[in-house]
């Protein structure tokens, strides 16, 4: 059965439509179209939210950036304010697929898709972003670190719409890197990925390392460790040791479990080495 396409122009109209049992939000459509064609999802109503005002805006505040749900991954990658305040997120969004996908895919559609291999969630977890949700029942916020609740499962409940994401600025003096390892081609999904943010990079006294891991378990993982007093080699060893128990890779066409486990530790080492620059 073909799904009916709706184009609400107000949040209230969208919320009412989303209360229908098999309704789905449609943003960029890059994931939905593939899943519908493959028969992996069955939606009776597709609720295209592109005409709802305010969802495609980027707002700067003193110490954070609010990114509207419909902002494209390409905009996140290239927006000067985001590049200045949260370069880890901009760089990570710039590694998603190819420019065609990034120009169409929205930041909310990306995280709502819930695939364990997604690139942006690693940066959103490292930066301690907050996801803003709204529905006919009201609004609520969920920390990005608690948003991915299981294999292909997120905190979004039936009837809810992601309306935006708030991303705190990267701490002054921090340095970052994102290592993406793809087996089938440069623009392919990662077989393993790791983001690293070194906070307190210049001080030498108190340094913390935040790590985000993608494609290495049924959900993206986050961990933070104290690396005060360590040199780069010791920090890489510490990061690999703390990451190793978090790895629970899913074998597929892109590699066996043991291959992805080894590749994951290479991604962690590369990200930490680069962030230590
Ligand atoms: C060829 C290809 C390669 C790809 N490679 C990568 C890759 O390397 N790395 C990577 O990270 N991703 C990759 N992707 C996935 C891509 O990032 C997602 O398809 C995209 O981000 C989804 O965004 P969208 O706006 O198109 O979402 P849609 O396709 O419109 O929706 C996706 C899901 O999110 C839900 N949704 C959308 N918007 C909202 C909202 N506002 N509130 C609540 N739920 C919502 C939809 O109901 C649906 O379940 C790839 C996709 C393709 C097609």
């Amino acid at each position: 059965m073909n799904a009916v396409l709706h184009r609400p122009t107000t949040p209230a109209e969208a919320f009412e439509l989303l209360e229908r049992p098999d309704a789905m939000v449609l943003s960029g459509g890059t994931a939905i179209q593939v899943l519908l064609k493959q028969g992996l999802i069955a939606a009776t109503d597709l609720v295209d939210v592109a005409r709802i005002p305010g969802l495609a805006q980027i707002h700067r505040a003193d110490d954070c950036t609010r990114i509207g749900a419909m902002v494209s991954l390409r905009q996140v990658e290239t927006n000067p304010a985001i590049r200045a305040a949260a370069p880890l997120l901009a760089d990570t969004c710039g590694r998603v697929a190819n420019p065609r996908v990034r120009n169409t895919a929205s930041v909310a559609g990306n995280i709502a898709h819930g695939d364990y291999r997604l690139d942006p969630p690693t940066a959103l977890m490292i930066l301690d972003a907050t996801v803003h949700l709204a529905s006919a029942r009201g609004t609520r916020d969920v920390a990005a670190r608690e948003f991915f609740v299981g294999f292909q499962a997120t905190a979004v409940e039936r009837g809810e719409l992601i309306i935006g994401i708030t991303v705190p600025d990267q701490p002054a003096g921090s340095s970052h890197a994102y290592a993406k390892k793809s087996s089938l081609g440069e623009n392919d999904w990662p077989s393993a990925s790791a983001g690293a943010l070194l906070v307190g990079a210049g001080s030498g006294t108190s340094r913390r390392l935040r790590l985000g891991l993608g494609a290495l378990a049924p959900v993206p993982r986050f961990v933070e460790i104290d690396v005060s007093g360590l040199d780069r080699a010791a920090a890489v060893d510490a990061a690999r040791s703390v990451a190793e128990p978090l790895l629970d890779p899913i074998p597929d066409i892109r590699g066996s479990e043991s291959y992805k486990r080894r590749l994951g530790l290479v991604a962690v080492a590369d990200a930490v080495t680069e962030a230590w620059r």
Side-chain angles (χ1 to χ4, degrees):
M1 188 179 72
N2 287 336
V4 179
L5 180 64
H6 304 271
R7 293 200 164 116
T9 53
T10 65
E13 209 185 323
F15 298 152
E16 197 183 322
L17 289 161
L18 287 172
E19 286 301 319
R20 298 185 183 181
D22 290 315
M24 285 185 82
V25 181
L26 175 74
S27 290
T30 58
I32 284 190
Q33 287 187 32
V34 174
L35 296 174
L36 281 173
K37 276 188 187 150
Q38 291 174 337
L40 293 173
I41 52 171
T44 51
D45 298 272
L46 291 177
V47 184
D48 179 350
V49 293
R51 293 184 184 180
I52 299 177
L55 292 184
Q57 286 167 0
I58 296 169
H59 288 293
R60 274 294 300 157
D62 282 348
D63 56 1
C64 62
T65 310
R66 170 131 176 178
I67 304 173
M70 286 300 292
V71 171
S72 72
L73 296 178
R74 179 78 179 143
Q75 285 174 283
V76 177
E77 174 191 352
T78 58
N79 179 273
I82 299 177
R83 288 215 64 79
L88 171 63
L89 179 63
D91 288 351
T92 305
C93 287
R95 302 295 303 279
V96 172
N98 54 58
R100 281 179 68 189
V101 170
R102 295 200 294 278
N103 270 318
T104 313
S106 66
V107 69
N110 181 270
I111 60 169
H113 185 37
D115 192 296
Y116 65 99
R117 302 164 300 176
L118 294 168
D119 295 292
T122 55
L124 292 171
M125 293 169 88
I126 287 174
L127 295 174
D128 202 11
T130 301
V131 182
H132 307 294
L133 296 145
S135 70
R137 304 180 290 281
T139 58
R140 68 186 180 108
D141 292 341
V142 177
R145 293 174 187 173
E146 288 162 18
F147 183 80
F148 303 93
V149 297
F151 179 71
Q152 303 276 19
T154 71
V156 180
E157 293 173 358
R158 198 170 71 77
E160 278 189 318
L161 178 68
I162 298 171
I163 52 171
I165 302 174
T166 294
V167 183
D169 292 353
Q170 247 168 260
S174 63
S175 59
H176 70 275
Y178 181 61
K180 175 171 177 170
K181 308 291 180 190
S182 301
S183 314
L184 301 185
E186 201 185 340
N187 290 336
D188 189 39
W189 288 92
S191 302
S193 73
L197 182 75
L198 181 63
V199 181
S203 70
T205 48
S206 170
R207 281 179 164 180
R208 297 194 68 80
L209 180 66
R210 302 186 201 166
L211 285 175
L213 307 174
L216 288 164
V219 287
R221 304 272 203 200
F222 169 76
V223 66
E224 181 169 354
I225 54 172
D226 187 349
V227 290
S228 307
L230 301 186
D231 64 13
R232 185 171 70 181
V236 168
D237 285 346
R240 286 168 55 101
S241 298
V242 77
E244 195 160 15
L246 301 177
L247 306 186
D248 182 17
I250 300 172
D252 62 13
I253 190 175
R254 291 173 175 82
S256 65
E257 186 193 329
S258 64
Y259 168 76
K260 290 185 179 182
R261 216 175 261 282
R262 289 203 305 276
L263 200 61
L265 295 178
V266 172
V268 168
D270 283 1
V272 176
T273 303
E274 170 69 11
W276 207 271
R277 67 190 177 272

